[in-house]
Amino acid sequence: MIQQSLETAWPADLPATDDRELLAAGRALLRADATGAGRAKWPDIFPDSDQVTPAFATARFRIQAAIARRAGSPDKAVVHLVWAGIDRGGTFTDLRITDWHFTRTTSKKGAATWTPQPRT
C-alpha cells in the first residue's frame, strides 16, 4: 500500500538500470545507518564507522517502501525510503522516512556510477 502510494505520487523517471542500482545502494545505506552494520563501506557518509554502533541504532528494521527518482537534473537522484524499526529498548516505530541523495559520477574509463552524498 505504501509502495503504491509513493509510485502514484511520484512517477518513475529513471532508466531501469539506474533505478535498480540506486534502490540497492539506498537500502544498503539505510541498513548501515539504522543498525550501524556495514558503515565502513561508506567512509564519506559515516566517518566514525570504526567506533561502536551508535546508541540510537535499531535492533531490527524493515523497509516498507522505496523509490528512486531524479532530483532536479539527470545527474542527481534521491532514494526515498519508508521504514519501520524497533530500537534496543523495544519501542516500535513505523513510517519513518529517510532520503539518500546521489550524484552520478563518471570514471576516467567512462563508467558511470551513482555516488551517495553526505547529509547536510
Side-chain angles (χ1 to χ4, degrees):
M1 183 74 150
I2 300 167
Q3 183 71 38
Q4 183 178 12
S5 295
L6 280 178
E7 291 172 357
T8 300
W10 202 353
D13 59 1
L14 288 165
T17 54
D18 288 340
D19 187 66
R20 283 190 299 273
E21 180 182 345
L22 286 160
L23 286 172
R27 287 180 176 115
L29 281 161
L30 175 60
R31 183 171 292 107
D33 190 34
T35 67
R39 289 180 168 208
K41 184 177 179 181
W42 296 283
D44 292 339
I45 305 298
F46 306 111
D48 298 327
S49 64
D50 59 339
Q51 297 179 1
V52 296
T53 302
F56 62 82
T58 54
R60 293 186 357 199
F61 87 105
R62 72 179 169 89
I63 296 170
Q64 297 173 297
I67 59 172
R69 300 295 186 259
R70 289 190 196 279
S73 76
D75 290 334
K76 295 186 187 273
V78 61
V79 176
H80 186 76
L81 300 120
V82 180
W83 59 285
I86 299 173
D87 68 21
R88 292 180 178 172
T91 303
F92 174 80
T93 307
D94 68 344
L95 300 176
R96 295 180 181 195
I97 298 170
T98 299
D99 288 333
W100 289 105
H101 294 267
F102 292 80
T103 300
R104 185 190 324 254
T105 56
T106 305
S107 70
K108 292 178 182 179
K109 296 180 180 182
T113 59
W114 289 99
T115 304
Q117 300 303 296
R119 293 184 183 169
T120 56

